[in-house]
Amino acid sequence: MKKKNFQFPEAHGPRLDSTLIFLILSYPMAPRGGDDLDDDFLIDVDLALDADDGLDDQSRPPLPRLPDEEDEFILDTHPEEEQWDGIEDNTPTENDGSNDKKRKRKEKAKEKRAKKRKVAEELDAINGSQNNLLSPEEISSYLASMQTKVFKDMTQMELDDILIPTSSIIDTSSYTGPRTDETLPDFINSTLPQLATRIRQKPKHNGSPTALIISGAALRVTDLTRSLRPMKGEKGGEIAKLFAKHFKLTDHISYLQKTKIGVGVGTPDRIGKLLSAKDALQTSALTHVILDSSYQDTKRRTLFDIPETRKEVFEAVLGQGPEGSMGGKALMQLIVKEKVKLVLF
């Protein structure tokens, strides 16, 4: 549609003063509803001011500048508010790697717990080894006090009959270092050199170890077994891990019947049952029984502090008391005759 130029009529009164025109043009007009003018109506400013109003060009007030196409219109937006530009933001967020972070935190926590457990075991080994620093006579008295706790119905005469002879106990008080799973090989090399030599030799018969190590916890058995394996060298027999957790008794019996082992490491109940089982754990080559009395569990209890394991040591392994195992009784006879030596680690 063609634009219309507005012209001020001269036939109806005097001309409008240029100042009045200026004010009209510069005053912002807000729309107040509809009117009869076209939507694209424009005022021809040059034509409106073309009349001779008695003012020269210098005396006329400046006209307000109208915006042209090159003017930039800046919207009044809040700078702190982000404007969406229609482009998806694929930048990785913190939640994208949350699983990896959780896994790393768990690994670090696990490492810290392992370190704390290791330090605690070393401290406990030092504290728990106080009984091991005793002489054979003092160790025999200590074991007698443990027997009294297990066999409460026995008379003193009966308890005297089952005392472990002092001559059957090896003195290891010269070893003053901590007694942990890592120091067990050094302990054997230092205090039991003949046993260390036998561990490196090839056994003659299946299921006939040269040593039995009795510990109260399956986890401790695993750690001791792992530490001893390098001692056997190329010719030595297997270091057998013998405890009830995850292993059936029949599986252990079958394993011993077809395997030459140098050392059997296990819990007292499982060792006692294997000693009593037919053609399972043999004592023909046995020279040492090591009681892991320095290890303390999470409640700071040793092998002889826990009522269950204390009872199993004397009844299942050593065959003492009215409920003593048959295999344990045979082993105890070897200890009394000093054919098998007893050691506290």
Side-chain angles (χ1 to χ4, degrees):
M1 182 180 293
K2 184 178 181 181
K3 297 181 181 179
K4 297 179 181 181
N5 296 326
F6 179 80
Q7 296 183 4
F8 291 95
E10 295 183 358
H12 303 285
R15 290 186 178 182
L16 295 175
D17 184 76
S18 61
T19 302
L20 180 58
I21 296 175
F22 168 78
L23 293 177
I24 293 174
L25 294 176
S26 60
Y27 185 81
M29 299 294 290
R32 300 178 181 269
D35 53 29
D36 296 335
L37 300 178
D38 295 332
D39 293 338
D40 57 348
F41 173 78
L42 297 175
I43 298 176
D44 192 337
V45 179
D46 296 334
L47 182 59
L49 297 179
D50 189 42
D52 185 8
D53 52 6
L55 296 176
D56 55 12
D57 294 337
Q58 295 180 354
S59 60
R60 290 176 177 172
L63 294 176
R65 179 180 177 273
L66 297 176
D68 53 28
E69 295 179 355
E70 297 180 355
D71 288 331
E72 296 181 358
F73 294 90
I74 302 176
L75 296 177
D76 185 17
T77 60
H78 297 286
E80 67 275 10
E81 296 179 0
E82 296 182 357
Q83 301 295 323
W84 184 67
D85 55 5
I87 301 176
E88 294 291 340
D89 185 6
N90 295 324
T91 304
T93 61
E94 294 181 359
N95 294 331
D96 294 341
S98 59
N99 293 334
D100 292 338
K101 290 182 178 180
K102 288 181 180 179
R103 179 179 56 79
K104 291 180 180 179
R105 284 197 298 267
K106 288 182 179 180
E107 290 178 355
K108 289 182 179 180
K110 186 176 181 181
E111 291 177 359
K112 288 182 179 180
R113 287 195 299 268
K115 289 180 180 179
K116 288 182 179 180
R117 185 171 71 89
K118 200 67 180 177
V119 173
E121 285 180 358
E122 292 178 355
L123 293 175
D124 291 342
I126 294 174
N127 296 330
S129 63
Q130 293 178 355
N131 291 329
N132 302 335
L133 298 178
L134 302 176
S135 65
E137 292 78 8
E138 292 170 325
I139 292 176
S140 179
S141 298
Y142 169 72
L143 293 177
S145 66
M146 297 297 104
Q147 289 172 324
T148 303
K149 292 183 178 180
V150 174
F151 308 112
K152 297 180 181 180
D153 297 333
M154 282 188 177
T155 64
Q156 187 59 48
M157 184 176 294
E158 291 174 330
L159 290 172
D160 292 342
D161 290 339
I162 62 174
L163 284 177
I164 297 175
T166 301
S167 57
S168 300
I169 301 173
I170 295 181
D171 187 358
T172 60
S173 59
S174 59
Y175 190 84
T176 58
R179 304 193 180 194
T180 67
D181 57 292
E182 293 180 349
T183 61
L184 179 58
D186 182 60
F187 171 82
I188 293 176
N189 288 323
S190 300
T191 61
L192 308 169
Q194 292 181 351
L195 176 59
T197 301
R198 289 176 63 88
I199 291 175
R200 291 190 290 268
Q201 295 175 351
K202 184 179 180 179
K204 295 181 180 180
H205 306 288
N206 294 344
S208 299
T210 185
L212 289 176
I213 301 177
I214 315 299
S215 185
L219 180 61
R220 174 71 166 183
V221 170
T222 301
D223 292 338
L224 294 174
T225 303
R226 185 185 305 110
S227 297
L228 280 176
R229 278 173 180 162
M231 286 192 67
K232 70 184 186 69
E234 297 180 357
K235 296 181 179 180
E238 296 296 323
I239 309 299
K241 182 171 56 177
L242 308 172
F243 55 80
K245 190 175 183 180
H246 307 309
F247 298 98
K248 295 180 180 181
L249 180 61
T250 54
D251 293 337
H252 275 151
I253 293 175
S254 176
Y255 168 77
L256 293 171
Q257 289 175 347
K258 59 183 179 182
T259 307
K260 290 180 172 60
I261 66 172
V263 180
V265 187
T267 54
D269 181 65
R270 179 50 58 95
I271 293 292
K273 290 179 178 178
L274 291 172
L275 285 171
S276 300
K278 184 180 180 180
D279 298 330
L281 198 56
Q282 307 296 319
T283 58
S284 57
L286 191 64
T287 59
H288 294 80
V289 173
I290 301 176
L291 301 178
D292 181 27
S293 61
S294 61
Y295 173 74
Q296 295 183 353
D297 62 9
T298 55
K299 297 181 179 179
R300 307 183 71 83
R301 299 177 302 176
T302 67
L303 178 68
F304 293 106
D305 290 334
I306 303 172
E308 293 80 10
T309 56
R310 179 173 62 217
K311 182 179 180 180
E312 290 167 357
V313 167
F314 290 108
E315 289 187 348
V317 178
L318 301 179
Q320 296 182 333
E323 298 181 3
S325 66
M326 294 303 297
K329 291 182 183 296
L331 174 59
M332 189 62 197
Q333 291 298 317
L334 295 175
I335 293 176
V336 171
K337 295 177 182 180
E338 301 182 21
K339 292 184 178 180
V340 175
K341 294 292 185 177
L342 194 66
V343 180
L344 262 66
F345 175 63

